Every structure is written in C-alpha cells, then in structure tokens.
Amino acid sequence: QVQLVQSGAEVKKPGASVKVSCKASGYTFTSYYMHWVRQAPGQGLEWMGIINPSGGSTSYAQKFQGRVTMTRDTSTSTVYMELSSLRSEDTAVYYCAREEQQKGVEGIYYYYYGMDVWGQGTTVTVSS
Amino acid sequence: SSELTQDPAVSVALGQTVRITCQGDSLRSYYASWYQQKPGQAPVLVIYGKNNRPSGIPDRFSGSSSGNTASLTITGAQAEDEADYYCNSRDSSGNHLRVFGGGTKLTVL
C-alpha cells in the first residue's frame, strides 16, 4: 500500500540543525511531488516547501528561505528536510505529503490534485 | 500572515448543512484543496479541484468557488465531521508555492 514513513522524534538545542526523512513506498517515487508542512502546538498548518523527486528541483516558502533544504535519494525513495538555525518557534510536528505532478484545468481555473497521502509526522522540539 | 483567510470557528447542528469558506486573491484562478484534521492525526484530503473527492471521502462533502472565495460544504453533518478544516492553494508570490488558510474549527452540536 502507498505510505510515507517519517523518521522519529528529535530534540535539538537552539542554533542546531535537524534533518527529517520521509521514505515513500507503494508508488512510483519520481511521479509525485513531495511537500513539507509543519504544525506548531495548537496552531494551524504551515506550508514549508516542495521538492520534485524526479529532478530534485525545490521551491521554498519565503519564510524559510536560507534555512531549509529539501533533498531526495531516488535509490531509497526517500526525501529529506533539513532546517537550520533552530529556535524555539520551530518546535512543531513536521509532515511530508505527496501530490500528483500535474495541474488540472477546468474552464478559467487551474487546480492541483491535492496532498493525498501524508506521513505520520515527526515531532521536533527545540529547547535549551 | 496567511494569504488565505478562513473563519476561526463554525458550528452546525447534527444533520444540518454547513459551509466553510476560504478567501484569497489566488482563488480567482486556482481552485482550493481542502483538508480535514482531527486531534493528534495527520490531515486528510477531502476535496480538490472544482469538486473532486478522493476515494473514501463521503459524498456529503462538496466544494465550490466564486470570485475570490472557495467553499467546503458538508450536507448532513455527522458527529465524526467535527474537526479542523484547512484550505490550500497557490501562493500568489510564485509558481509551485502554496499556502494554507488559518483553519476553521468545526463543532457539530
């Protein structure tokens, strides 16, 4: 079955970096984008960025530019999200989620196919 | 601050119809996708495109869009629909960029 399995919880000190992995199985890894989304305690979902596993191209939310790096390893069907210069506000659950690599058109509207499979989430705690 | 705006909370009586809205400039040219999230769980995609439901999503969930507003409608709300709902669409600042709305807490009375 299609699944995304993320690495385990992390505890980091302020200023450190964290690298979270997301291993895909049950589908063609290079046919789907992978998003990273985080959720701070009691807060909403926050989109961080996207990677195309096929060529490795990335796009990041402006808020994370310069601090986040998303990479992939096609040999193991795994994507990685590394966040540096951690601060307490980065304490959150981090999710990976896949999305079909196409854009639909209907009338005057475009649409994405949505993040249809999510990882279980990885809790990252930043504390001194 | 989010470029997609949602009401923080909405309530509905059991079995009644509720509409959850999402406003933003990008919605004039991109349909939103909608996610349901229950406490302690990962989000679940419930609507994408004009009005498409992934396999397993009940047909009481539907989507629509007009101008800069996207809507998720639940017709005949059930107790299990009580959850947080988030819209997502293109961030107007660049291709491939996305943004979530702030979320709407749905209470089923």
Side-chain angles (χ1 to χ4, degrees):
Chain A
Q1 73 282 23
V2 175
Q3 60 178 348
L4 302 174
V5 178
Q6 298 183 222
S7 49
E10 302 264 11
V11 179
K12 296 291 183 181
K13 294 193 181 303
S17 297
V18 68
K19 192 170 187 178
V20 180
S21 67
C22 170
K23 183 173 176 59
S25 61
Y27 71 95
T28 302
F29 177 64
T30 51
S31 295
Y32 289 76
Y33 295 132
M34 198 72 78
H35 297 265
W36 286 92
V37 177
R38 77 177 188 179
Q39 187 169 37
Q43 303 300 308
L45 301 177
E46 183 173 30
W47 186 83
M48 298 181 69
I50 184 173
I51 182 168
N52 182 345
S54 179
S57 60
T58 56
S59 294
Y60 304 134
Q62 186 173 5
K63 174 177 179 175
F64 300 102
Q65 287 275 4
R67 275 211 307 146
V68 70
T69 304
M70 296 177 188
T71 56
R72 95 291 188 213
D73 181 345
T74 56
S75 69
T76 60
S77 298
T78 303
V79 296
Y80 301 89
M81 186 284 299
E82 184 170 22
L83 188 63
S84 63
S85 302
L86 290 170
R87 36 212 188 224
S88 59
E89 308 90 89
D90 295 315
T91 293
V93 177
Y94 290 76
Y95 294 101
C96 59
R98 74 164 197 177
E99 182 183 60
E100 276 196 49
Q101 283 185 20
Q102 58 179 313
K103 189 187 295 184
V105 178
E106 192 158 354
I108 64 169
Y109 286 89
Y110 294 96
Y111 64 93
Y112 300 110
Y113 281 72
M115 303 171 208
D116 67 336
V117 178
W118 292 65
Q120 82 276 20
T122 297
T123 299
V124 175
T125 302
V126 183
S127 173
S128 54
Chain B
S1 62
S2 174
E3 294 185 30
L4 296 178
T5 302
Q6 297 183 240
D7 291 328
V10 170
S11 62
V12 62
L14 184 67
Q16 296 304 300
T17 297
V18 62
R19 176 173 293 181
I20 298 169
T21 61
C22 172
Q23 289 187 300
D25 285 343
S26 64
L27 300 179
R28 296 186 184 277
S29 55
Y30 278 81
Y31 286 122
S33 53
W34 289 92
Y35 300 85
Q36 176 193 70
Q37 187 182 35
K38 297 181 179 179
Q41 297 182 19
V44 173
L45 176 67
V46 295
I47 291 287
Y48 67 95
K50 184 176 182 180
N51 183 20
N52 300 297
R53 283 175 289 105
S55 173
I57 301 302
D59 61 6
R60 63 179 178 271
F61 290 89
S62 63
S64 61
S65 193
S66 178
N68 73 336
T69 301
S71 300
L72 173 70
T73 300
I74 307 173
T75 303
Q78 302 299 302
E80 61 263 32
D81 299 333
E82 185 162 295
D84 295 325
Y85 290 86
Y86 297 90
C87 57
N88 178 268
S89 191
R90 182 178 183 266
D91 185 320
S92 55
S93 60
N95 203 17
H96 291 298
L97 301 182
R98 313 295 176 83
V99 64
F100 282 98
T104 297
K105 169 64 178 175
L106 175 67
T107 300
V108 179
L109 304 171

